[in-house]
């Protein structure tokens, strides 16, 4: 599931679509030599596990010493636990806000947040990036790009994740990624008209590869074959 | 299903385990919070016997309060028999002492013929309010506690429920 490749998902499950896509993002960016920062999730894990540790300690002392001896401490443990738990929730809802990737590429800092509206199979991606100071004269400021695409841009009809299509979409839509992976960015703009043909071909040939799409007549034939059972 | 776990990044796995741990610890800390607020080691109990019928039936869920220490005759209290850890829900029928002297109580089940002296530990013929009683009943919900009676009568159910809960929390991802 984490690799995004190989396994197929249920295409009508929005959370499957989103999770597979979210998991594929760091893999792709890290392969482009982006340096991922785990600061957000590390803080979240630290908050959560400290709360759990407090509850564990409370359980242990309550179990071994009994209620009467420990109730003075239990009161403070309960208060501290729920403070930590609230900060944990705040961190997820207000700080992380669906962040799937934080990292840096050649001095450009990037932060990607993904979101899916209920019952809408469209992947919304908000990208914030800050170029290094030297390169931009207007000073180094955070820029924000919002983009979205339907999941069937990179999922085939039978639920296979087509990493190449996803990477092309990212590289075309997001300038930093486009710089880091010019090959994908260029490819997408050249072949954008043939997306449907390519995907249909992919379905029919069971992901034999994008090469099959190069032959137009072949893809049309297999397209019919692929659709007939439905 | 297990491949979903083995394919995870360490942080993702840690996050899934944390989800499960947070569910358990939040339930436990809510319970402890209620304990501290009511000053009772067990602020919610389930009626296990029919000895208080028709006031309470088997399976009723009782809410206790243990901060009012001057218990009056007619109050329904929950106490633990010394040496045994089974809570008993019975009504106070007599009281001795109180004020400077320690408060002592005699209890009886509404549906029982005799008072509780037979139930108390050997050599004990009254309850010590401070040491034995864990609270007096302030409210109840009928029947919802019946699940715990089922669980205590069929202990394997506990294992099954706990296992299912764990599996759902670890494997589910929304």
């Amino acid at each position: 599931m984490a690799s995004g490749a190989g396994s197929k998902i249920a295409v009508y499950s929005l959370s499957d679509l989103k999770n597979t896509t979210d998991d594929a993002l760091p893999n792709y960016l890290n392969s482009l030599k982006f340096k991922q920062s785990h600061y957000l999730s590390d803080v979240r894990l630290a908050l959560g596990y400290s709360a759990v540790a407090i509850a564990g300690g409370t359980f242990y002392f309550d179990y071994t010493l009994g209620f009467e001896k420990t109730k003075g401490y239990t009161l403070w443990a309960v208060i501290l636990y729920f403070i930590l738990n609230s900060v944990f929730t705040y961190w997820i809802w207000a700080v992380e806000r669906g962040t799937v990737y934080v990292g840096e590429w050649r001095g450009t800092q990037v932060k990607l947040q993904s979101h899916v509206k209920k019952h809408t199979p469209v992947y919304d991606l908000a990208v914030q990036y800050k170029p290094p100071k030297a390169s931009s004269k207007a000073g180094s400021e955070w820029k924000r790009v919002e983009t979205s695409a339907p999941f069937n841009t990179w999922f085939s009809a039978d639920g296979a994740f087509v990493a190449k299509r996803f990477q092309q979409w990212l590289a075309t839509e997001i300038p930093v990624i486009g710089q880091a992976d010019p090959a994908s960015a260029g490819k997408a703009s050249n072949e954008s008209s043939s997306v449907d043909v390519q995907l249909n071909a992919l379905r029919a040939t069971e992901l034999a590869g994008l090469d099959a799409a190069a032959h137009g007549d072949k893809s049309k034939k297999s397209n019919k074959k692929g659709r007939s059972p439905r | 299903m297990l491949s979903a776990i083995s394919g995870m990044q360490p942080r993702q796995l840690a996050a899934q385990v944390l989800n499960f741990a947070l569910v358990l610890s939040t339930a436990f800390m809510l319970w402890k919070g209620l304990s501290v607020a009511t000053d009772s080691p067990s602020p919610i109990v389930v009626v296990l016997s029919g000895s208080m019928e028709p006031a309470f039936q088997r399976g009723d869920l009782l809410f206790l309060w243990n901060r009012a220490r001057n218990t009056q005759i007619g109050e329904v209290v929950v106490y633990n028999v010394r040496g045994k850890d089974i809570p008993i829900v019975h009504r106070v029928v007599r009281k001795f002492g109180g004020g400077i002297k320690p408060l002592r109580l005699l209890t009886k089940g509404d549906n029982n013929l005799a008072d509780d002296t037979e139930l108390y530990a050997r050599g004990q013929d009254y309850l010590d309010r401070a040491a034995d009683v864990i609270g007096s009943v302030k409210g109840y919900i009928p029947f919802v506690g019946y699940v715990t009676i089922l669980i205590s009568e069929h202990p394997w159910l506990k294992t099954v429920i706990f296992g299912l809960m764990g599996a759902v929390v670890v494997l589910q991802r929304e």
Side-chain angles (χ1 to χ4, degrees):
Chain A
M1 203 163 107
S3 64
S7 57
K8 286 177 183 172
I9 54 132
V11 283
Y12 292 99
S13 163
L14 268 191
S15 61
D16 274 14
L17 290 168
K18 180 174 185 288
N19 288 336
T20 311
T21 309
D22 284 349
D23 289 346
L25 243 171
N27 288 342
Y28 172 50
L29 295 184
N30 291 340
S31 78
L32 297 177
K33 302 280 177 287
F34 276 67
K35 207 172 162 335
Q36 186 171 7
S37 152
H38 291 287
Y39 149 76
L40 285 173
S41 45
D42 284 347
V43 171
R44 167 165 48 81
L45 289 173
L47 284 169
Y49 276 105
S50 348
V52 169
I54 287 169
T58 310
F59 179 80
Y60 175 77
F61 288 115
D62 184 69
Y63 191 77
T64 51
L65 301 175
F67 175 74
E68 288 300 323
K69 279 183 197 161
T70 52
K71 65 184 180 188
Y73 300 100
T74 305
L75 172 67
W76 292 107
V78 168
I79 293 172
L80 193 59
Y81 178 86
F82 284 103
I83 291 175
L84 278 174
N85 211 325
S86 315
V87 178
F88 175 84
T89 314
Y90 173 83
W91 191 263
I92 290 172
W93 287 100
V95 181
E96 289 197 302
R97 299 182 73 176
T99 301
V100 280
Y101 193 89
V102 180
E104 179 257 305
W105 181 78
R106 292 191 190 166
T108 305
Q109 290 166 273
V110 286
K111 183 176 173 186
L112 285 81
Q113 291 165 301
S114 76
H115 176 72
V116 170
K117 287 183 198 78
K118 261 189 181 172
H119 313 303
T120 314
V122 173
Y123 192 63
D124 298 329
L125 194 64
V127 186
Q128 286 165 282
Y129 63 99
K130 190 167 125 183
K133 269 183 183 152
S135 70
S136 77
K137 283 171 189 166
S140 177
E141 277 182 10
W142 282 98
K143 288 174 191 160
R144 191 178 165 91
V145 180
E146 279 180 41
T147 179
S148 54
F151 280 109
N152 64 7
T153 316
W154 53 85
F155 278 102
S156 69
D158 51 2
F161 178 78
V162 187
K164 224 168 200 174
R165 305 246 41 119
F166 180 57
Q167 295 166 5
Q168 286 169 358
W169 175 69
L170 285 174
T172 324
E173 295 291 323
I174 301 153
V176 204
I177 302 178
Q179 285 167 29
D181 189 8
S184 286
K187 209 170 186 180
S189 54
N190 291 338
E191 300 175 4
S192 55
S193 58
S194 60
V195 167
D196 290 331
V197 180
Q198 282 191 357
L199 271 178
N200 284 336
L202 277 170
R203 272 173 227 157
T205 55
E206 286 291 332
L207 296 178
L210 278 167
D211 320 89
H215 314 285
D217 51 335
K218 216 182 195 176
S219 71
K220 265 178 202 166
K221 240 189 234 169
S222 44
N223 180 9
K224 270 180 201 163
K225 258 187 214 163
R227 274 196 182 163
S228 52
R230 267 153 243 224
Chain B
M1 273 170 121
L2 283 173
S3 66
I5 291 180
S6 63
M8 277 180 190
Q9 310 288 327
R11 278 187 183 80
Q12 249 178 342
L13 187 63
Q16 293 291 94
V17 174
L18 179 61
N19 278 352
F20 180 52
L22 277 175
V23 170
L24 288 184
S25 62
T26 304
F28 176 71
M29 289 313 255
L30 281 173
W31 172 254
K32 279 294 137 196
L34 195 60
S35 266
V36 174
T38 59
D39 197 21
S40 167
S42 178
I44 299 175
V45 293
V46 174
V47 180
L48 297 173
S49 79
S51 65
M52 277 300 282
E53 283 179 19
F56 300 118
Q57 316 275 333
R58 246 162 85 81
D60 288 0
L61 200 67
L62 305 182
F63 297 93
L64 308 186
W65 183 254
N66 199 27
R67 290 201 176 270
R69 290 297 173 114
N70 187 21
T71 310
Q72 302 295 324
I73 290 172
E75 269 184 54
V76 178
V77 295
V78 178
Y79 64 90
N80 284 319
V81 178
R82 282 174 209 170
K84 291 179 200 163
D85 218 15
I86 307 157
I88 296 177
V89 190
H90 280 173
R91 197 182 297 277
V92 176
V93 291
R94 244 165 251 178
K95 61 184 269 190
F96 313 92
I100 311 157
K101 283 187 240 166
L103 182 60
R104 299 178 299 175
L105 308 169
L106 178 67
T107 53
K108 176 182 172 298
D110 287 358
N111 201 22
N112 290 354
L113 291 174
D115 63 39
D116 288 353
T117 34
E118 285 290 307
L119 288 174
Y120 299 156
R122 195 174 285 270
Q124 186 188 2
D125 45 17
Y126 57 84
L127 293 177
D128 182 341
R129 172 65 184 86
D132 298 327
V133 175
I134 61 170
S136 27
V137 178
K138 288 293 162 198
Y140 79 108
I141 306 175
F143 201 68
V144 294
Y146 214 90
V147 183
T148 62
I149 292 183
L150 285 180
I151 288 172
S152 62
E153 283 174 5
H154 310 279
W156 55 271
L157 270 175
K158 201 190 280 179
T159 324
V160 171
I161 292 172
F162 192 78
L164 281 177
M165 251 174 65
V168 165
V169 176
V170 172
L171 296 175
Q172 186 187 45
R173 190 179 162 199
E174 279 303 323

